[in-house]
Amino acid sequence: MSLLLNIIWILLGGAWMAFGWLIAAVIMAITIVGIPWARAAVNIALYTLMPFGYTAVARDRATGQEDIGTGVLGGIGNILWLVFAGWWLALAHVITAVMLAVTIIGIPFAWAHLKLAGIALWPIGKTIVPKDQAMPGHRV
């Protein structure tokens, strides 16, 4: 079922939003100091391309230990990300969600875009895991 949903997803906005994430990654990588953000953007671009069957969780919850991206420096990195790239990626996800929500078949895909808009605002410290490995009761 996830494969079918991912194919429909790619046709209904997933491909162009994944491309947007890749553009953000390239821009960040070009700046050299943005390489940590570029890595996060590439991971989320892959998730954006095929989100069904996977979920984003806080990395410290997935691994059981804090790291540089889940602490104070990760918070500062997320603020910088929000200012330079996060807001326009989130806006693009919201616009795509609104367009999809107009149709009944597009509502689940619109919901997925809204989840990705939230991730676009604050991606550092997140990891992508298969849904069956996500912790029960965990909120993204």
Side-chain angles (χ1 to χ4, degrees):
M1 185 65 163
S2 292
L3 178 62
L4 177 63
L5 288 171
N6 281 322
I7 291 170
I8 296 170
W9 169 264
I10 288 169
L11 298 174
L12 295 179
W16 85 276
M17 284 308 307
F19 183 69
W21 279 95
L22 287 175
I23 289 172
V26 168
I27 291 169
M28 292 295 171
I30 288 171
T31 68
I32 305 299
V33 296
I35 288 174
W37 293 278
R39 181 177 172 257
V42 168
N43 289 337
I44 297 171
L46 294 172
Y47 177 52
T48 301
L49 191 59
M50 300 188 83
F52 293 98
Y54 295 91
T55 190
V57 296
R59 195 168 49 243
D60 56 352
R61 286 193 152 177
T63 63
Q65 57 187 348
E66 286 195 20
D67 59 35
I68 196 165
T70 59
V72 174
L73 288 177
I76 293 168
N78 274 319
I79 291 169
L80 292 171
W81 171 265
L82 176 67
V83 170
F84 292 110
W87 69 269
W88 64 266
L89 284 167
L91 180 63
H93 278 294
V94 168
I95 290 169
T96 304
V98 168
M99 291 187 306
L100 287 171
V102 174
T103 66
I104 291 174
I105 195 168
I107 291 173
F109 301 103
W111 185 249
H113 274 291
L114 292 177
K115 287 183 188 178
L116 284 162
I119 294 169
L121 294 174
W122 211 256
I124 307 297
K126 299 263 194 251
T127 189
I128 310 304
V129 297
K131 280 202 182 205
D132 59 351
Q133 290 181 11
M135 297 175 69
H138 179 268
R139 291 181 15 199
V140 177

